[in-house]
Amino acid sequence: MPMQLQIITAEREVFSGEVDALVAPGIEGQLGILPRHAPLMTILQPGELMVRSGGEESFLALSGGYMEVLGNQVIILADAAEDVDEIDETRAQAAMEQAQQRIANRESDVELEQAVASLRRAQVRVTVARRRRNAPHRSMASRQPGLGS
């Protein structure tokens, strides 16, 4: 019996549909969620989200957010979420280098915090893109026509 997953950002609904399992980047480590999971509310850190449905896996880069598991429904409110196929690795690498320069040239602690957060988001995007580039996967957008665009 699958569970209902909804992934939402401020800009769009990234995904809505039934899935068999997911692994999310929890604040204290990876969280595996299966149907009929105990109720849970947690903060998500920047990282990779793996979604399994029908024996196929899909991957998204999350920049953080919140996850609620209640009943047989999972809702992820993400700061940003990108399907592995949507990530421009060259742009992500450039963003990572720019964040590293901002860290080196910071003028205040606030700038440092912002630059470190930018660096972490860019690192996640680059890592997800590189790891999944040649690995078999399925786009989240292809699972739900009309979503992800």
Side-chain angles (χ1 to χ4, degrees):
M1 169 194 219
M3 61 188 160
Q4 184 69 28
L5 171 64
Q6 195 172 15
I7 304 170
I8 303 165
T9 68
E11 292 82 31
R12 63 188 174 129
E13 181 176 54
V14 176
F15 178 80
S16 180
E18 292 186 341
V19 300
D20 300 321
L22 66 94
V23 177
I27 197 73
E28 294 182 12
Q30 297 295 312
L31 292 167
I33 308 294
L34 296 169
R36 296 178 298 284
H37 192 282
L40 170 73
M41 175 77 117
T42 189
I43 296 172
L44 298 176
Q45 66 179 346
E48 180 179 74
L49 175 71
M50 185 280 296
V51 177
R52 184 176 302 124
S53 182
E56 294 183 331
E57 295 179 346
S58 301
F59 301 91
L60 290 107
L62 294 181
S63 64
Y66 299 91
M67 179 172 68
E68 178 185 50
V69 180
L70 192 56
N72 217 27
Q73 181 173 12
V74 179
I75 298 173
I76 294 176
L77 302 175
D79 298 333
E82 286 181 279
D83 191 283
V84 67
D85 295 332
E86 296 174 331
I87 298 171
D88 180 334
E89 187 179 340
T90 304
R91 261 186 61 211
Q93 183 67 41
M96 196 166 82
E97 291 166 6
Q98 183 181 24
Q100 289 169 332
Q101 288 176 352
R102 285 177 49 209
I103 290 169
N105 299 325
R106 72 185 184 281
E107 293 184 15
S108 71
D109 288 343
V110 172
E111 286 180 15
L112 176 61
E113 286 180 37
Q114 292 170 342
V116 168
S118 295
L119 177 61
R120 179 69 179 129
R121 284 190 303 271
Q123 286 174 325
V124 165
R125 294 174 69 229
V126 168
T127 300
V128 170
R130 287 183 180 164
R131 187 178 333 165
R132 303 303 172 195
R133 183 179 333 146
N134 299 320
H137 67 277
R138 186 168 175 199
S139 168
M140 291 296 289
S142 70
R143 293 180 186 272
Q144 285 294 101
L147 291 182
S149 47

